Amino acid sequence: MNNTPQILRARLQRRPVLVAPGVIDPLTAVLAVNAGFEALYLTGAGIAYSRLGMADVGLTTMTEVTEVVARIADKVDVPLIVDGDTGFGNAITVQRTIRFFERAGAAAIQIEDQTFPKRCGHLRGKDVVPTEEMVGKIKAAVDARINDIVVIGRTDAGAVEGFERAFERAERYIEAGADVIFVEAPRTNAELAAVPTALGGKRPLMANMVEGGRTPMTPVAELEAMGYDLVVFSAGVVRAMAKTARSFYDTLMADGTSDAIRDQMYSFDELADIVGTSELLEQGRKYDSDGGGA
């Protein structure tokens, strides 16, 4: 049985603040765990960028995300927080999403109150559904869970209706059963600090750091001092990988070899060690036809 929801719940009650870096596949998940992180954030934007080569505007499907969840959960054991967009539909669709995500191994699902098609929380032109519609989705999510998956209620209302209305929505999402609250895209340090001032102590609070996004990049220690309990760096890994990949291709095109950037790459053997090649081959030998097994 997947016990990561319980692990995540307990960890959110302790300090220091929990930092969950964005991941997009089993390889980035392994790298993040090897770096020492206790939890991971499966970024919806990162899935759109890497699997579709397209913008984060609601194009990914629930089954596509579930497939990635299952592959990551098969490789690492730490809690996986999953971006569930709008729940991929209405309240009944949210319940189906909860069942799929729980079976796949998710520890938490983030559901937002944007209209469909949604867009990245740091893009302009967002709109939000009526509060009651989102309240219904959260209640549906809570009712559907079997393995006590953590439900994160996200509101994008700050950019649409103002932050006072966002806080009112957050209060309603708490009443509906949300376990964690995420007020997306504060635009200033003052707005960032206002979230814990208004909502601190009622539920664990989540902040999202996006390089070049609308929210000021703020050190984790400062976010903890403000009163945040969970900080994600959602799609930063994709931006880093994309720039590194472009450098690789530019160098290869210009030089006809990748030697100039070898120091920026893992060697063949280093990457083989990261993905466990030797262990996997050794395991396979137990079942070889030459009698290697028992």
Side-chain angles (χ1 to χ4, degrees):
M1 180 178 177
N2 175 24
N3 66 343
T4 58
Q6 291 73 35
I7 293 172
L8 179 60
R9 288 177 183 277
R11 179 60 183 82
L12 287 171
Q13 300 305 313
R14 304 195 311 268
R15 289 306 195 192
V17 62
L18 179 61
V19 179
V23 299
I24 58 171
D25 56 20
L27 178 57
T28 51
V30 168
L31 291 168
V33 170
N34 288 351
F37 289 100
E38 302 175 68
L40 308 174
Y41 179 81
L42 179 55
T43 157
I47 293 176
Y49 297 156
S50 62
R51 291 177 67 90
L52 306 180
M54 301 185 77
D56 180 21
V57 290
L59 298 174
T60 54
T61 66
M62 183 268 285
T63 51
E64 286 175 323
V65 177
T66 301
E67 179 185 1
V68 182
V69 173
R71 291 184 178 184
I72 293 174
D74 185 56
K75 189 66 178 176
V76 299
D77 296 326
V78 302
L80 182 62
I81 301 161
V82 182
D83 183 354
D85 285 349
T86 63
F88 304 100
N90 59 19
I92 298 303
T93 311
V94 166
Q95 293 194 316
R96 183 168 181 255
T97 300
I98 290 288
R99 293 193 296 270
F100 273 57
F101 280 16
E102 281 199 324
R103 287 196 294 265
I109 178 174
Q110 170 197 303
I111 306 172
E112 66 198 53
D113 56 9
Q114 284 196 51
T115 55
F116 187 85
K118 58 87 49 145
R119 59 179 61 198
C120 172
H122 290 255
L123 291 174
R124 289 174 171 78
K126 297 183 295 184
D127 202 359
V128 290
V129 300
T131 302
E132 293 301 328
E133 181 176 336
M134 181 63 175
V135 165
K137 286 186 177 185
I138 292 174
K139 288 180 177 179
V142 171
D143 287 346
R145 62 188 176 190
I146 295 173
N147 196 32
D148 206 25
I149 189 172
V150 174
V151 175
I152 301 174
R154 164 177 155 176
T155 179
D156 288 74
V160 181
E161 302 174 340
F163 271 77
E164 289 303 318
R165 287 286 295 126
F167 298 153
E168 292 173 9
R169 281 175 173 258
E171 295 276 7
R172 295 294 309 282
Y173 302 166
I174 290 169
E175 293 170 4
D179 301 297
V180 175
I181 291 296
F182 173 24
V183 179
E184 174 64 304
R187 295 158 294 188
T188 64
N189 284 316
E191 288 182 348
L192 196 59
V195 177
T197 299
L199 302 169
K202 299 178 180 180
R203 287 292 189 275
L205 299 177
M206 171 176 155
N208 179 23
M209 294 291 102
V210 176
E211 299 83 359
R214 304 196 74 189
T215 301
M217 289 297 291
T218 306
V220 168
E222 292 184 22
L223 292 168
E224 179 176 353
M226 287 180 187
Y228 286 95
D229 306 279
L230 169 64
V231 181
V232 303
F233 287 75
S234 51
V237 67
V238 188
R239 284 182 278 277
M241 292 171 67
K243 189 160 187 177
T244 300
R246 180 58 191 265
S247 178
F248 171 84
Y249 294 130
D250 285 345
T251 300
L252 184 59
M253 174 60 74
D255 299 350
T257 175
S258 58
D259 282 347
I261 58 168
R262 286 279 295 277
D263 62 343
Q264 301 175 39
M265 302 164 59
Y266 282 119
S267 71
F268 178 87
D269 288 338
E270 287 171 335
L271 189 56
D273 286 343
I274 290 168
V275 299
T277 301
S278 296
E279 294 86 348
L280 192 62
L281 292 175
E282 182 62 32
Q283 181 182 352
R285 290 190 189 99
K286 296 192 300 184
Y287 308 104
D288 285 347
S289 59
D290 63 1

